[in-house]
Amino acid sequence: REGRGLRVKYVLVSSRPTMPPRIRVLYLIPSLVQGGAQRHVVELARNLDPERFESALCVVRPGMHYKRELPPGEPRFSLDRPLFSPGAVTGVAGVLRSYKPDVLHAHLNDGNLLGRLATRLAPVPTVTSVHLDEMGAFYRFVERRLWRRSDRIVGVSRGVGDYLTGKLGIPASRV
C-alpha cells in the first residue's frame, strides 16, 4: 500500500510451524555379526525419531546377523573391505563425502579407529562409542592418541566410562 511516501509490502506467512531440517546420522560399525554392540546399533537405527533424524548404516565387513531387525534399505553402505586396509579408510571417507552426515557415530574399537582416520580425509563431527572396559595394548595406544579426533566419546556403561577416564586418561568432559 502506498500513501504519503510510505510503501508497505504485504507478506503472507504460513500459520503452519516449520520443522527444522532433520539431523543426518551415519552409524559406522565393523560388521553386523551377532553381538551386543551390533544389537545396540540396530536398535539405535530403528528407534531414532524419523521426524528429527535421518540415519544410515555403514558396515565395513560382510556378515549380517540382524538383517530382519534392520530398518528397510539398511545397511545403506556395505563396503566389504578388510578392516585394516587403506581401502577401508578411504571407503568410509567416501561414504562421509557422499552421504554428508551431520554426525558420524562410530562403534567398537575397529569402527572408532576407522571413523577417526576417515574424518581426517572427510571432516565430520564424530561421536565414538566404546563398548568394552578392557582393551588390548594396540587399542589402548590408539585411544590415548586419537581420542581428540572425537567430539564426544560414549562409554556404554559407568565401568567403561571409568576405564576411559581413569586408565586411559581421557578427560571426563569428553566422555
Side-chain angles (χ1 to χ4, degrees):
R1 192 171 106 177
E2 293 184 43
R4 293 191 204 166
L6 180 65
R7 180 181 243 164
V8 178
K9 290 185 178 182
Y10 293 92
V11 178
L12 179 61
V13 178
S14 171
S15 62
R16 294 181 3 196
T18 59
M19 294 294 291
R22 295 188 306 167
I23 298 168
R24 293 173 67 105
V25 179
L26 178 67
Y27 292 108
L28 174 64
I29 192 158
S31 73
L32 285 173
V33 296
Q34 188 171 1
Q38 292 81 355
R39 163 66 69 189
H40 178 77
V41 170
V42 168
E43 292 301 317
L44 284 172
R46 286 178 53 190
N47 292 301
L48 274 183
D49 180 353
E51 298 213 359
R52 295 179 52 215
F53 299 94
E54 175 187 337
S55 67
L57 196 54
C58 179
V59 180
V60 180
R61 292 185 312 205
M64 196 64 61
H65 180 80
Y66 293 105
K67 187 67 174 166
R68 288 185 308 221
E69 291 90 349
L70 286 169
E74 293 295 350
R76 199 169 312 171
F77 304 99
S78 294
L79 301 180
D80 200 9
R81 308 245 171 101
L83 275 177
F84 297 106
S85 69
V89 174
T90 58
V92 173
V95 169
L96 292 171
R97 286 188 199 104
S98 68
Y99 184 64
K100 296 179 176 47
D102 296 305
V103 64
L104 169 66
H105 190 176
H107 292 265
L108 295 172
N109 295 336
D110 295 335
N112 294 342
L113 173 58
L114 282 175
R116 288 166 171 159
L117 294 175
T119 59
R120 292 185 70 96
L121 302 173
V124 172
T126 302
V127 174
T128 51
S129 285
V130 178
H131 291 262
L132 301 170
D133 63 358
E134 185 55 50
M135 295 178 183
F138 173 74
Y139 286 107
R140 286 192 308 272
F141 174 83
V142 166
E143 199 65 32
R144 285 185 179 119
R145 297 315 175 273
L146 296 181
W147 68 264
R148 290 170 187 85
R149 300 281 317 147
S150 296
D151 295 278
R152 288 285 182 263
I153 302 169
V154 176
V156 298
S157 69
R158 178 167 283 145
V160 172
D162 291 346
Y163 177 78
L164 293 169
T165 57
K167 299 265 185 195
L168 300 183
I170 299 170
S173 62
R174 291 295 267 280
V175 177

